[in-house]
């Protein structure tokens, strides 16, 4: 039985790609806005450049 299709999904704030819930985000899923560390870093870089 596959469980992946039933996981919650979000859209990344930086790259606009969908990403699924991960176990490491179990406690902070509401605070997660980026699909990867790279997208998180790029969004911070853009904030500083503006």
């Amino acid at each position: 039985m596959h469980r992946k299709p039933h996981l919650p999904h979000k859209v990344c704030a930086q790259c606009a790609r969908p990403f699924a819930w991960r176990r490491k985000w179990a406690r902070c899923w509401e605070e997660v806005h980026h699909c990867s560390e790279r997208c998180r870093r790029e969004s911070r870089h853009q904030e500083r450049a503006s």
Side-chain angles (χ1 to χ4, degrees):
M1 181 174 154
H2 297 286
R3 295 183 181 180
K4 285 226 182 221
H6 304 293
L7 295 175
H9 286 76
K10 287 187 178 182
V11 177
C12 179
Q14 178 66 25
C15 66
R17 292 181 184 163
F19 64 98
W21 180 90
R22 294 183 189 169
R23 190 175 191 160
K24 69 178 185 177
W25 294 332
R27 294 184 184 146
C28 60
W29 178 241
E30 297 300 321
E31 300 165 11
V32 175
H33 300 290
H34 301 96
C35 63
S36 64
E37 191 67 28
R38 180 180 178 182
C39 282
R40 188 181 67 80
R41 266 189 262 121
E42 287 180 4
S43 70
R44 286 182 146 199
H45 181 69
Q46 285 181 353
E47 286 178 4
R48 291 180 183 175
S50 297

